[in-house]
Amino acid sequence: MGRWFTWLPTLLLLRFVAFADDRCPMNASQPAPENAYQVNDVLWAGQPEKSYPPAAYRSVQDVGYVLCTCETGTCIRKCCEPNAAYVNSRCTPLNASDHVAEFKVPTFVNEHGTVDVYEMGLFHIVYGKLTCFGKYKLDPSKDKSHNFQVNNAGFLLSESANVGPDQFCLEQFSELNYQILAVVCSPKQLAGQTQERNVFNTIGMILSLPFLFSTFLVYALIKDLQTLHGKSLMCHVVTLLVAYTSLIVVQLITENGDKTWCIFLAYTLQFTFLASFFWLNIMCFDLWWTFSGFRPLRGNTQENEENKFIIYSIYAWGCTTLISIITFGMDKLPYLLIDNIRPRIGISSCWFGSDLATLLYFYGPIGILLFSNLLMFIHTAIVIVKHMRDAKVLRGSESQNNANHYEKQRFMLYLKLFIVMGVNWLAEIISWATDSDGSEYVWYVTDIGNSLQGVLIFLIFVCKKRVLNLLNKKLCPQFQIFKTSTRTTNCTVPTKTSSNAKIKDAVEMSTESTSDLTNNQLNDIS
């Protein structure tokens, strides 16, 4: 019992010290000497007495003061706990039979191994994995640019990274005969985001996955929805579904994951995200083509849609494949005049190795597609406004009113989709280009919008009266959720006075492409 009373104060103190850890840099602290006292914002303690600035100590209620270890001295983080090392990419306790050398902080590590080490006691050693999402291992035996040194201030210096003590950890790796290597936080994630923003993105994308799958499933089950518009939407949704799944895996992947798997995920991300934007571009183009006065392909409507879908598929999948092939080829070329244009996928993270490469092979094509979408939407809006203005002389024409109604509805449908993807990603590109550090919370809005695209697409394209009615008939025909609309779309334009005849003819000619829409196309947007 006496021992318990002896150890109880110590246990309580350690509990409060642990509570204070999360407020100290690198989560490391130690009890301050008993004679510690505070004067203004400065803590005085020890024999001989020393002063500690506000950043170097924390006040713990009912206990006293604790000193932040990494502020009172230089800290180095060991990735695993004491007497443990990486075995098969996992922190594993070591046995005496392993005959592993004592962990010491290296001064320099190159392709031949550790050149020299620091004396014991020079650094405070803290334990535990890094808390950043993107991480990679510096392995000089595979890449000379990964040679690194640790200076006496606790900074890691290498050709590929110069980071502070809280951005790397050191550990022994069993596959390299327990050689000490560095694990470093990736300098930049896919969208240049910080850890907190990545947490929101990951949660949002996980929520989006079932909605994307549900949207695809609804359009795949209902044959009436498999028009040119429906098939294009299905391609757009399935690419986003694969892209989000891959991105979630990348953001949750450990720093010691297989490099081949990492490279595969990076190329999958590039291909699927680019493909989703090409299909968005196709849907915008199809809208612009329909309402810009161009004549459709000759033949029946079904043949026209099938031929157009083949052409659109060649364009979307072909362009995306070409960009991926160029990216792969540029990574494998032995010599380049400008080395920054080499993609260097998988070197420092499961993404591109430089900002210029990211611009050339990802954000550049996306920006061009979004800009072309914007131009097509502006022109289509101008055409629709002109039609509506000219149609004022035909107010009594029900067919003309129906045409204007469907013009506006289809335009608004695609405008919503463009806002969902286009505007958010334009903001994302701006955030990346300005190297936003995540402290500006305005970017959180676009991050959440991007990650929840699956939810928004479901609301726009599935939560519509006609789609839900078709789904109701497909799954539960005995129950009718919505009353079937009796509205007719094919009406005869009544004869106008001779004074309006020429104006009416002009309006009908200007809306000729709209009149060529089939009932399926009109129903698809209602």
Side-chain angles (χ1 to χ4, degrees):
M1 181 67 70
R3 288 185 177 181
W4 280 108
F5 281 109
T6 303
W7 281 99
L8 185 58
T10 305
L11 292 173
L12 290 174
L13 179 60
L14 289 175
R15 178 180 180 275
F16 283 107
V17 168
F19 172 77
D21 279 352
D22 59 3
R23 292 177 290 175
C24 283
M26 296 181 70
N27 294 343
S29 62
Q30 59 189 13
E34 293 183 358
N35 64 341
Y37 63 96
Q38 187 177 351
V39 178
N40 295 326
D41 290 333
V42 178
L43 184 72
W44 295 85
Q47 293 293 338
E49 199 170 58
K50 293 182 180 180
S51 62
Y52 298 93
Y57 71 92
R58 298 289 183 267
S59 176
V60 179
Q61 188 177 5
D62 299 331
V63 174
Y65 299 97
V66 295
L67 301 178
C68 294
T69 305
C70 300
E71 289 291 334
T72 60
T74 303
C75 283
I76 294 292
R77 181 179 293 277
K78 184 178 183 294
C79 303
C80 299
E81 296 299 319
N83 198 35
Y86 274 126
V87 178
N88 296 326
S89 302
R90 293 180 180 275
C91 288
T92 305
L94 298 173
N95 300 318
S97 58
D98 293 326
H99 303 292
V100 179
E102 185 180 11
F103 177 86
K104 293 183 179 180
V105 179
T107 58
F108 186 72
V109 178
N110 60 19
E111 63 272 21
H112 303 296
T114 301
V115 175
D116 198 6
V117 296
Y118 285 103
E119 295 180 1
M120 295 293 292
L122 184 62
F123 301 102
H124 296 299
I125 305 298
V126 296
Y127 304 95
K129 292 182 179 181
L130 298 169
T131 56
C132 52
F133 270 89
K135 310 164 194 174
Y136 64 100
K137 177 175 63 180
L138 292 180
D139 189 353
S141 64
K142 295 182 179 179
D143 190 341
K144 290 184 179 181
S145 67
H146 284 188
N147 294 352
F148 67 90
Q149 61 177 323
V150 179
N151 64 17
N152 54 15
F155 282 74
L156 181 140
L157 309 175
S158 73
E159 183 179 333
S160 60
N162 294 317
V163 296
D166 59 339
Q167 294 295 305
F168 76 96
C169 63
L170 301 173
E171 194 49 78
Q172 298 163 299
F173 287 79
S174 63
E175 63 267 27
L176 297 174
N177 198 23
Y178 293 100
Q179 165 70 40
I180 292 181
L181 299 178
V183 177
V184 185
C185 289
S186 297
K188 204 164 191 178
Q189 298 293 317
L190 172 64
Q193 298 161 335
T194 60
Q195 176 186 348
E196 187 178 357
R197 291 172 69 181
N198 273 332
V199 171
F200 284 110
N201 281 347
T202 303
I203 295 173
M205 287 185 293
I206 291 174
L207 292 175
S208 283
L209 291 181
F211 287 94
L212 287 171
F213 180 75
S214 299
T215 303
F216 178 82
L217 191 62
V218 167
Y219 276 75
L221 287 175
I222 303 175
K223 190 174 181 180
D224 290 347
L225 296 179
Q226 295 174 17
T227 60
L228 177 62
H229 154 77
K231 292 177 181 178
S232 300
L233 179 65
M234 288 169 66
C235 292
H236 175 71
V237 167
V238 77
T239 53
L240 276 182
L241 183 65
V242 177
Y244 279 6
T245 303
S246 302
L247 186 54
I248 291 170
V249 174
V250 167
Q251 292 187 343
L252 299 180
I253 197 170
T254 63
E255 65 270 17
N256 302 301
D258 182 69
K259 187 175 181 180
T260 303
W261 176 241
C262 180
I263 293 174
F264 171 77
L265 286 173
Y267 278 107
T268 302
L269 279 172
Q270 183 202 27
F271 183 89
T272 51
F273 269 121
L274 286 177
S276 70
F277 280 98
F278 273 105
W279 279 108
L280 175 63
N281 182 247
I282 283 172
M283 288 186 280
C284 294
F285 172 81
D286 190 62
L287 173 72
W288 173 79
W289 178 271
T290 301
F291 297 114
S292 295
F294 294 100
R295 297 293 298 177
L297 296 173
R298 295 188 178 276
N300 63 56
T301 303
Q302 185 175 358
E303 289 179 353
N304 285 342
E305 290 201 351
E306 290 177 355
N307 292 335
K308 287 175 72 174
F309 184 72
I310 292 173
I311 295 172
Y312 289 161
S313 297
I314 293 173
Y315 165 72
W317 301 122
C319 289
T320 307
T321 302
L322 180 61
I323 294 174
S324 295
I325 291 174
I326 292 174
T327 304
F328 181 81
M330 294 296 287
D331 225 356
K332 299 303 179 182
L333 285 178
Y335 178 75
L336 289 174
L337 292 177
I338 304 176
D339 195 57
N340 280 343
I341 67 174
R342 190 184 299 278
R344 298 178 67 84
I345 288 179
I347 297 299
S348 60
S349 65
C350 300
W351 195 236
F352 295 99
S354 68
D355 287 344
L356 182 58
T358 308
L359 175 64
L360 290 175
Y361 308 111
F362 189 70
Y363 281 128
I366 288 176
I368 293 173
L369 291 172
L370 291 179
F371 183 69
S372 66
N373 292 348
L374 180 61
L375 293 180
M376 287 187 287
F377 268 115
I378 292 174
H379 183 255
T380 304
I382 293 173
V383 172
I384 290 176
V385 170
K386 182 178 182 299
H387 289 176
M388 294 174 62
R389 186 179 302 166
D390 293 341
K392 288 182 178 180
V393 297
L394 299 174
R395 289 180 181 176
S397 170
E398 187 175 353
S399 66
Q400 185 62 48
N401 290 336
N402 285 335
N404 287 333
H405 170 74
Y406 288 123
E407 282 180 353
K408 289 186 290 183
Q409 281 217 354
R410 193 176 187 193
F411 176 76
M412 291 304 299
L413 189 71
Y414 286 109
L415 181 61
K416 290 176 184 178
L417 181 61
F418 175 72
I419 292 174
V420 167
M421 287 203 67
V423 175
N424 282 334
W425 273 84
L426 281 174
E428 189 68 53
I429 294 174
I430 294 172
S431 173
W432 168 82
T434 56
D435 198 20
S436 172
D437 61 358
S439 60
E440 300 178 24
Y441 285 89
V442 66
W443 302 120
Y444 281 61
V445 178
T446 60
D447 288 343
I448 294 173
N450 282 336
S451 62
L452 292 177
Q453 282 177 13
V455 180
L456 299 175
I457 289 174
F458 180 85
L459 294 175
I460 294 172
F461 291 99
V462 176
C463 294
K464 300 191 302 177
K465 183 176 180 179
R466 176 176 176 266
V467 175
L468 293 176
N469 197 18
L470 289 172
L471 189 63
N472 174 214
K473 291 179 180 179
K474 180 73 175 179
L475 300 180
C476 301
Q478 64 271 27
F479 298 104
Q480 187 175 3
I481 300 176
F482 299 101
K483 292 183 179 180
T484 305
S485 176
T486 58
R487 178 181 177 178
T488 58
T489 58
N490 297 321
C491 301
T492 304
V493 180
T495 305
K496 294 292 176 183
T497 60
S498 58
S499 61
N500 287 334
K502 292 183 179 180
I503 300 177
K504 180 179 77 107
D505 292 340
V507 172
E508 289 179 346
M509 290 179 63
S510 68
T511 59
E512 188 174 11
S513 60
T514 304
S515 301
D516 289 330
L517 290 174
T518 64
N519 289 333
N520 285 338
Q521 287 175 302
L522 295 176
N523 287 333
D524 201 32
I525 60 176
S526 60

